[in-house]
């Protein structure tokens, strides 16, 4: 009898130094069954006992190893904390023994101090090395722009305020402003710097700002610098070439890239980026003539994702999954012969051979000339005339952050389906006209549907094209074996031992289309034949996996992502209906174009087929907004607040009609309110009635203000008991007290008009002029926002909705109702200085209808007011709300230090702080007089 070999367990089973690996339950059962076979014992109970015993031993070893690793990590952390503590003490000149115990743990405050020190050291090092002041400032500011722009801005403002360093401050300030999307301010500051100095230190940033403010002279000047060899640094030349390319100056872009290559000094990544851009710039400088399509052939575009900006060129195989799905709607038509690039024709032919028999569409056949159309750079493709394409996907990949290559090349005839866009800025007049002319537009998500309907584009919900990819995936002959592992695709796996895959890879950017298509095809086959389950955050893994029958679970990173509206909540029946809808809509139009029908006939058929879907979409868009309940009784809350009302009449009243003004604050801004009232009083001759919506104030505060300003009537309303719940959109530099102004129409039932005035603003002229401004029927007057990134009201709304990750349905409803309320977008406004028609707001039931937006949608007060007024506000002259940190100050009437830099902050220079300090000194004089009296 052959003796069964002994099973070795415990530490001896592991080679010396090899880490122990936890076995999954399936592996333990297999181990036990193997032991039973070897010993000739078939007892299943014994097998289970052995498996449990082995599992216990493995778990003990695992816990022991975890304890060892934890102890080692704790010791290492303590060493790092000590080193960090000593580093902070050294760079700030602090005695380590006086630092609090928790100072050894990295936090924002200590990191900020260290970053400040690094920036200050950089400036000193530059000057010590012999750089002139402007060059040293630029070298200091650039590293601070990503994390510490406030520090960089304060430095530049301080330099700008002094005549001897004004140029250096202007140049550094221009870089800071450009980083913050304050391009108008950046242009103003660049204009104060000698051109030769800009060419030496910031030519690319200057040209970029010129493009953003539509200044052709800035681009022309950058071209002259290039031709005069005023710019010689290779990386700077590449950056300049990017801007010139985006400005359609393709020839100069080529020259800049050639100069960069000749200058040397590019690292591998920079050289690769420059080579890619040169290829595209050369296309623009010398456009290729499209190949003539032989008579009798139909020209058809296959969507690729290459473009001149490496950073926004697709690295996602999921995009090529979409391309495969789109080709399924072509190759399902029988009798087609494909021509063009041999590799492309071959892979498309192979896809045709994979079509499920029941999905084939019989037809007379056709010869099809295939051509590549790059979704984000088609204007530079050599596209033959009358090229048809199924146009799908995400249209928002800008080149170098400066331009969208949309509409398509003039020779493309698109059929839009599964279209997605979520940046209103892309929907220019040309884009809207193009989409309207080639509509209706089938949209991948409901948000895109509503956004296009807002712009007047006929649109409907098609759903996602990748649900139809099973067209080219015939029934499986093999399936994943029982017990196959679950794979996690671009999402966190529960254990390091679990299998993970990413669909986003750098090599995809550089790989030609056909290999990427084959890679995507193979990956999908692997999903359905190799894994027992798929868990993914990728839409173009989830939907195609579902389509081909692979078991998949979708775990999006943000459920409120607008890309998922209509997809996230679709059940099995809904997904099947989506798939059939796309097939039914595309088949007749694709059949017509393959028959050689003229474009007018094809589009007429497309419009007719989509008309019922467009009608359904419009009905959904126009559905009245639902009433939003509040978790608290807002009327009762206002009554309670009104009951707290304390009126302190002026003891030395002025003659005339009163000027009503309101402020909102809590305990930490009591001193600032004194300065604000001083600004109002100093320039206003008429009686002032100041309403203070307060939290954490007492009668002592009422008495103090009355003594300081006997000419003012104060009305104090305590809002301490009003709780709005969590405000997701609360900005870090404001407090909940600003929300209380949303209740002004109900808190002041006897006041019909007033000026709302932020506590970080200072009036310099007669406030009565603003109070009496003609509203022209608008409910409020406000200043439009200046930052290019916050000018779009609907764009701001989309960013706000992303905070609702736990309530995607609420986010989608917010978007729909606001798109319907505000056709065509609107210019967002800053709510720091407002003239409010309270009577009109009461008539509009503002409080009842819009205060619930705080609780349901997480909006802050400024966002709520923008949702209410939209484009229906009266624009104020900028002088009534001028922002020293965001624009060039010219003859201000009210200064408003919006943002993080406040005029009372110590340790940083703040522009125009002297005016705040003057008002503060006047308050102290009043205090002295009051005490003396």
């Amino acid at each position: 009898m052959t003796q069964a070999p002994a099973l070795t367990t415990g530490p001896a089973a592991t080679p010396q130094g090899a880490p122990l690996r936890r076995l999954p339950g399936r592996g333990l059962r297999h181990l036990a069954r193997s032991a039973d076979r070897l010993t000739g014992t078939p007892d299943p109970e014994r097998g289970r006992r052995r498996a449990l015993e082995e599992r216990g031993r493995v778990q003990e070893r695992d816990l022991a190893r975890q304890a060892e690793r934890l102890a080692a990590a704790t010791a290492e952390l303590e060493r790092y904390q000590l080193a960090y503590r000593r580093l902070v003490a050294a760079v700030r000149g602090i005695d380590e023994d006086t630092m609090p115990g928790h100072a050894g743990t990295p936090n924002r405050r200590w990191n900020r101090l260290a970053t400040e020190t690094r920036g200050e050291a950089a400036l000193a090092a530059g000057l010590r090395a012999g750089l002139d002041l402007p060059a040293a400032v630029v070298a200091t500011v650039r590293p601070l722009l990503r994390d510490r722009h406030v520090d960089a801005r304060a430095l530049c403002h301080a330099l700008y305020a002094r005549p001897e360093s004004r140029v250096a401050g202007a140049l550094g300030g221009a870089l800071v402003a450009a980083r913050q999307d304050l391009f108008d301010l950046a242009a103003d500051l660049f204009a104060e710097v000698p051109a030769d100095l800009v060419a030496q230190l910031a030519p690319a940033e200057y040209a970029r700002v010129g493009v953003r403010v539509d200044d052709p002279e800035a681009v022309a000047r950058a071209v002259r610098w290039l031709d005069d060899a005023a710019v010689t640094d290779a990386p700077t030349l590449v950056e300049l070439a990017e801007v010139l390319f985006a400005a359609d100056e393709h020839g100069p872009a080529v020259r800049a890239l050639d100069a960069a290559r000749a200058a040397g000094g590019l690292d591998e990544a920079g050289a690769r980026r420059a080579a890619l851009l040169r290829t595209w710039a050369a296309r623009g400088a010398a456009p290729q003539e499209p190949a003539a399509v032989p008579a009798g052939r139909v020209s058809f575009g296959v969507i690729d994702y290459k473009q001149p900006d490496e950073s926004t060129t697709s690295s996602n195989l999921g995009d090529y999954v979409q391309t495969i799905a789109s080709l399924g709607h072509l190759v399902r038509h029988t009798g087609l012969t494909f021509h063009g690039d041999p590799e492309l024709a071959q892979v498309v032919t192979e896809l045709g051979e994979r079509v499920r028999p029941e999905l084939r569409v019989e037809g007379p056949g056709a010869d099809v000339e295939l051509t590549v159309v790059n979704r984000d750079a088609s204007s530079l493709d050599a596209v033959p005339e009358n090229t048809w394409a199924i146009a799908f996907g995400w249209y928002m990949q800008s080149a170098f952050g400066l331009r969208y290559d949309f509409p398509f090349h003039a020779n493309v005839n698109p059929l839009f389906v599964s279209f997605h866009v979520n940046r209103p800025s892309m929907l220019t007049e040309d884009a809207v006209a193009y989409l309207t002319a080639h509509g209706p537009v089938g949209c991948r998500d409901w948000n895109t549907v509503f956004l296009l309907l807002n712009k007047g584009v006929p649109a409907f919900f098609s759903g996602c094209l990748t649900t139809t990819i099973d067209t080219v995936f015939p029934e499986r002959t093999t399936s994943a074996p029982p017990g196959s592992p679950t794979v996690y695709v671009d999402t966190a796996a529960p254990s390091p031992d679990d299998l993970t895959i990413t669909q986003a890879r750098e090599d995809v950017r550089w790989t030609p289309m056909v290999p990427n298509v084959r890679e995507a095809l193979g990956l999908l086959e692997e999903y359905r034949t190799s894994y027992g389950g798929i868990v993914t955050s990728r839409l173009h893994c989830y939907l195609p996996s579902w389509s081909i029958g692979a078991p998949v679970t979708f775990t999006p990173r943000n459920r409120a992502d607008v890309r998922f509206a209509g997809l996230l909540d679709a059940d099995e029946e809904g997904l099947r209906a989506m798939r059939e809808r796309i097939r039914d809509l595309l088949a007749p139009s694709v059949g017509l174009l393959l028959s050689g029908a003229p474009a007018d006939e094809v589009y007429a058929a497309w419009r007719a087929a989509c008309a019922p879907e467009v009608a359904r979409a419009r009905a959904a868009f126009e559905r009245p907004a639902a009433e939003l309940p509040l978790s608290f009784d807002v009327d009762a809350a206002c009554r309670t607040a009104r009951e707290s009302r304390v009126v302190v009449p002026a003891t030395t009243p002025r003659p005339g009609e009163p000027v009503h003004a309101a402020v909102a604050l809590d305990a930490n801004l009591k001193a600032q309110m004194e300065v604000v009232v001083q600004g109002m009083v100093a320039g206003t001759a008429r009686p002032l009635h100041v309403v203070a919506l307060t939290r954490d104030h007492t009668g002592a505060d009422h008495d103090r203000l009355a003594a300081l300003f006997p000419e003012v009537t104060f009305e104090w309303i305590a809002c301490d008991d009003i709780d709005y719940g969590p405000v997701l959109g609360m900005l870090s530099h404001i407090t909940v007290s600003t929300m209380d102004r949303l209740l002004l129409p109900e808190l002041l039932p006897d006041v019909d008009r007033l000026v709302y005035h932020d506590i970080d603003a200072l009036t310099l002229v007669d406030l009565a002029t603003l109070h009496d401004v003609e509203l022209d029927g608008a409910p409020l007057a406000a200043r439009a926002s200046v930052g290019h990134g916050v000018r779009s009201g609907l764009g701001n709304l989309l960013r706000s909705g992303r905070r609702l990750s736990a309530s995607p349905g609420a986010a989608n409803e917010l978007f729909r109702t606001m798109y319907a309320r505000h056709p065509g977008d609107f210019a967002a406004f800053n709510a720091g200085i407002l003239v409010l028609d309270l009577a009109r707001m009461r008539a509009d039931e503002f409080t009842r209808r819009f205060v619930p937006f705080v609780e349901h949608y997480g909006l802050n007060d400024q966002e709520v007011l923008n949702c209410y007024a939209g484009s229906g506000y009266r624009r104020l002259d900028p002088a009534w709300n001028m922002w020293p940190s965001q624009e060039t100050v010219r003859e201000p009437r009210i200064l408003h230090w919006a943002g993080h830099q406040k005029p009372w902050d110590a340790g940083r220079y703040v522009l125009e702080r002297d005016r705040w300090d003057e008002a503060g000194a006047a308050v102290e004089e009043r205090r002295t007089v009051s005490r003396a009296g």
Side-chain angles (χ1 to χ4, degrees):
M1 175 181 287
T2 303
Q3 185 176 4
L7 287 174
T8 305
T9 60
T14 304
Q16 184 68 30
L20 284 169
R21 180 173 179 179
R22 182 179 177 184
L23 290 171
R26 189 181 69 256
L28 290 169
R29 290 193 297 274
H30 177 71
L31 178 64
R33 286 195 298 271
S34 299
D36 288 338
R37 285 196 300 271
L38 288 169
T39 58
T41 306
D43 182 5
E45 288 300 323
R46 180 180 178 184
R48 279 193 287 272
R49 286 196 302 273
R50 292 172 68 92
L52 289 171
E53 290 170 1
E54 179 61 20
R55 178 178 297 179
R57 286 191 287 270
V58 169
Q59 289 177 343
E60 287 177 7
R61 291 197 298 271
D62 191 41
L63 288 172
R65 288 298 181 93
Q66 288 182 21
E68 292 175 5
R69 288 195 295 268
L70 179 60
T74 300
E76 187 175 16
L77 177 61
E78 290 174 352
R79 290 194 296 272
Y80 277 121
Q81 286 178 327
L82 179 61
Y84 180 83
R85 184 184 182 91
R86 289 174 176 171
L87 177 62
V88 169
V91 298
R92 296 306 299 176
I94 302 170
D95 184 350
E96 183 186 342
D97 294 333
T98 65
M99 294 172 67
H102 65 270
T105 303
N107 59 53
R108 293 182 66 181
R109 177 171 178 266
W110 295 115
N111 289 342
R112 177 176 61 80
L113 292 173
T115 303
E116 286 177 0
T117 300
R118 187 169 67 248
E120 293 161 3
L123 179 61
L127 294 172
R128 187 172 60 246
L131 294 179
D132 58 20
L133 183 59
V137 168
V138 169
T140 299
V141 164
R142 280 200 173 113
L144 293 175
L145 290 180
R146 185 168 64 89
D147 297 320
R148 300 305 309 162
H149 67 268
V150 173
D151 297 322
R153 183 167 59 191
L155 168 65
C156 296
H157 285 175
L159 294 170
Y160 185 80
R162 300 175 180 276
E164 64 273 18
S165 57
R166 188 177 183 90
V167 168
L171 183 54
L175 299 182
V176 176
R179 175 70 179 191
Q180 295 180 279
D181 290 348
L182 299 169
F183 300 113
D184 298 295
L185 174 59
D188 287 347
L189 292 170
F190 271 130
E192 297 191 42
V193 183
D196 59 341
L197 194 59
V198 177
Q200 175 191 348
L201 297 174
E205 290 96 337
Y206 171 81
R208 178 176 290 273
V209 167
V211 172
R212 294 305 299 259
V213 299
D214 297 320
D215 179 9
E217 174 54 31
V219 176
R221 177 173 283 170
V223 173
R224 290 196 295 273
W225 290 338
L226 176 66
D227 293 339
D228 295 342
V231 184
T232 57
D233 175 67
T236 303
L237 284 163
V238 173
E239 291 180 30
L240 186 58
E242 293 171 350
V243 178
L244 293 172
F245 177 89
D248 292 327
E249 294 287 349
H250 298 124
V254 170
R255 298 200 298 275
L257 292 164
D258 289 344
R261 183 173 55 188
L266 292 175
D267 59 17
E268 182 180 352
R272 185 182 66 234
R273 185 177 57 157
L276 172 65
L277 176 55
R278 195 191 185 288
T279 299
W280 287 93
R283 283 193 193 184
Q288 298 174 315
E289 286 295 325
V293 176
R297 292 185 184 177
V298 175
S299 182
F300 193 89
V302 183
I303 301 296
D304 198 1
Y305 310 94
K306 302 299 188 287
Q307 66 141 308
D309 186 347
E310 177 190 3
S311 66
T312 52
T313 299
S314 177
S315 63
N316 185 0
L317 274 177
D319 283 330
Y320 292 93
V321 170
Q322 294 184 83
T323 296
I324 294 168
S326 72
L327 288 169
H329 295 276
L330 172 68
V331 300
R332 66 186 295 223
H333 292 261
T334 61
L336 303 182
T337 303
F338 298 103
H339 307 273
D341 176 80
E343 290 188 2
L344 180 58
Q346 178 61 35
V347 76
V348 175
T349 299
E350 292 172 13
L351 287 176
E353 294 167 354
R354 295 170 57 101
V355 173
R356 290 172 176 250
E358 70 275 15
L359 295 178
R360 293 191 182 278
V361 178
E362 296 298 329
D367 284 287
V368 179
E369 186 78 14
L370 299 173
T371 187
V372 173
V373 174
N374 283 289
R375 181 190 65 187
D376 303 310
S378 68
S379 66
L380 297 176
D381 289 327
V383 181
E385 289 186 13
N386 203 33
T387 295
W388 288 96
I390 296 173
F392 55 87
W394 189 348
Y395 289 79
M396 57 178 292
Q397 313 302 326
S398 64
F400 311 111
L402 291 173
R403 60 172 295 200
Y404 298 105
D405 195 89
F406 190 84
F408 282 121
H409 190 290
N411 289 344
V412 174
N413 299 329
L415 291 176
F416 284 105
V417 68
S418 194
F419 177 85
H420 172 75
V421 62
N422 64 25
R423 286 187 183 172
S425 59
M426 201 203 94
L427 295 174
T428 61
E429 289 186 12
D430 287 345
V432 168
Y434 184 80
L435 290 168
T436 302
H438 295 87
V441 178
C443 302
R444 193 173 73 190
D445 56 278
W446 277 106
N447 180 73
T448 301
V449 174
F450 297 146
L451 185 56
L452 292 185
L453 290 175
N454 165 276
K455 297 285 188 179
V457 177
F460 64 95
F461 176 66
S462 68
C464 186
L465 195 65
T466 60
T467 59
T468 68
I469 203 167
D470 64 323
T471 300
V472 293
F473 279 79
E475 291 291 338
R476 289 179 288 184
T477 56
T478 60
S479 299
S484 296
T486 295
V487 65
Y488 295 84
V489 182
D490 291 309
T491 194
S495 165
D497 293 332
D498 289 318
L499 294 174
T500 59
I501 288 177
T502 180
Q503 289 190 173
R505 304 199 314 259
E506 278 300 306
D507 63 293
V508 173
R509 298 185 198 274
W510 301 96
T511 303
M513 169 191 266
V514 171
N516 277 339
V517 166
R518 293 192 181 280
E519 177 76 8
L521 202 61
L523 183 60
L524 291 177
E525 284 288 5
E526 186 178 339
Y527 285 161
R528 73 171 181 166
T529 60
S530 300
Y531 304 115
I534 303 161
V535 180
T536 184
S537 64
R538 293 271 185 192
L539 186 67
H540 297 315
C541 173
Y542 161 55
L543 290 176
S545 295
W546 168 84
S547 180
I548 63 178
V552 62
T553 301
F554 191 37
T555 57
R557 292 185 176 91
N558 185 348
R559 295 177 65 83
D561 191 318
V562 293
R563 293 177 298 155
F564 305 146
L567 303 174
L568 196 63
D569 55 351
D571 57 15
E572 183 75 14
E573 182 179 352
L575 290 174
R576 291 181 183 277
M578 186 187 305
R579 178 166 62 188
E580 294 310 309
R581 178 168 57 246
I582 295 173
R583 284 186 180 136
D584 291 344
L585 290 173
L586 280 175
S589 295
V590 173
L592 265 179
L593 70 87
L594 288 173
S595 72
D600 288 348
E601 184 178 343
V602 175
Y603 280 116
W606 177 249
R607 286 192 293 272
C610 299
E613 298 297 332
V614 174
R616 276 191 282 273
R618 284 194 172 124
F621 179 60
E622 295 166 359
R623 187 177 68 249
E627 290 285 333
L628 299 176
L630 270 173
S631 61
F632 69 97
D633 186 334
V634 68
D635 292 331
C638 289
R639 282 195 302 272
T640 301
R642 284 197 301 269
E643 289 169 1
S644 74
R645 175 173 171 265
V646 175
V647 178
V648 183
T651 56
T652 58
R654 295 171 172 176
E657 288 295 317
V659 174
H660 303 287
V663 295
L665 69 156
D666 44 25
N668 63 322
L669 293 172
K670 292 180 180 181
Q672 286 76 9
M673 179 181 169
E674 297 175 353
V675 179
V676 170
V677 175
Q678 170 62 32
M680 295 179 182
V681 169
T684 305
R686 281 163 47 187
L688 266 174
H689 168 218
V690 176
V691 179
L693 309 181
T694 64
R695 290 170 184 258
D696 299 319
H697 279 58
T698 67
D701 301 309
H702 308 167
D703 296 341
R704 187 182 74 259
L705 268 293
L708 284 173
F709 303 101
E711 63 268 65
V712 176
T713 294
F714 288 97
E715 183 170 346
W716 302 86
I717 300 177
C719 299
D720 303 74
D721 295 331
I722 299 174
D723 183 3
Y724 300 94
V727 183
L728 298 178
M730 186 64 69
L731 302 177
S732 60
H733 56 275
I734 64 175
T735 62
V736 72
S737 60
T738 64
M739 305 294 296
D740 297 329
R741 59 176 160 166
L742 298 178
L743 306 179
L744 279 167
E746 308 306 321
L747 292 175
L748 300 173
D750 299 324
V751 176
D752 288 343
R753 173 188 285 231
L754 60 69
V755 174
Y756 174 80
H757 196 296
D758 264 356
I759 291 294
D760 57 357
L762 181 68
T763 296
L764 305 175
V765 297
D766 190 341
L767 193 62
T769 307
L770 176 62
H771 180 273
D772 296 342
V773 71
E774 180 57 56
L775 292 180
D776 300 321
L780 59 87
R783 163 102 194 261
S785 299
V786 299
H788 283 238
V790 294
R791 289 183 175 182
S792 165
L794 295 184
N796 293 344
L797 185 68
L798 284 166
R799 282 190 292 274
S800 301
R802 294 190 186 114
R803 299 191 292 254
L804 295 168
S805 57
S807 305
N812 296 331
E813 182 64 6
L814 170 64
F815 300 147
R816 182 191 71 81
T817 55
M818 291 300 103
Y819 293 160
R821 181 177 175 86
H822 305 300
D825 204 359
F826 63 93
F829 59 83
N830 175 272
I833 301 293
L834 300 170
V835 181
L836 298 175
D837 184 341
L838 298 184
R840 164 71 183 277
M841 295 175 75
R842 284 190 288 270
D844 289 343
E845 297 185 283
F846 167 78
T847 301
R848 181 183 65 81
R849 294 172 57 201
F850 287 91
V851 169
F853 280 37
V854 177
E855 183 176 324
H856 286 266
Y857 303 136
L859 304 187
N860 62 41
D861 49 310
Q862 179 167 285
E863 292 167 336
V864 171
L865 288 163
N866 272 267
C867 285
Y868 164 60
S871 60
Y873 68 97
R874 198 261 200 201
R875 289 202 185 196
L876 286 176
D877 185 311
W880 284 115
N881 187 0
M882 193 153 275
W883 307 309
S885 63
Q886 300 184 36
E887 62 185 331
T888 302
V889 173
R890 297 184 177 95
E891 299 182 2
R893 299 171 194 166
I894 295 180
L895 285 169
H896 181 196
W897 289 270
H900 291 276
Q901 277 186 296
K902 303 302 181 186
W904 55 83
D905 287 342
R908 290 195 186 102
Y909 183 84
V910 180
L911 276 180
E912 301 288 346
R913 177 161 51 196
D914 55 328
R915 304 213 199 209
W916 182 273
D917 290 343
E918 288 172 10
V923 171
E924 292 309 312
E925 289 180 14
R926 282 177 173 266
R927 200 183 317 276
T928 300
V929 171
S930 173
R931 287 170 178 167

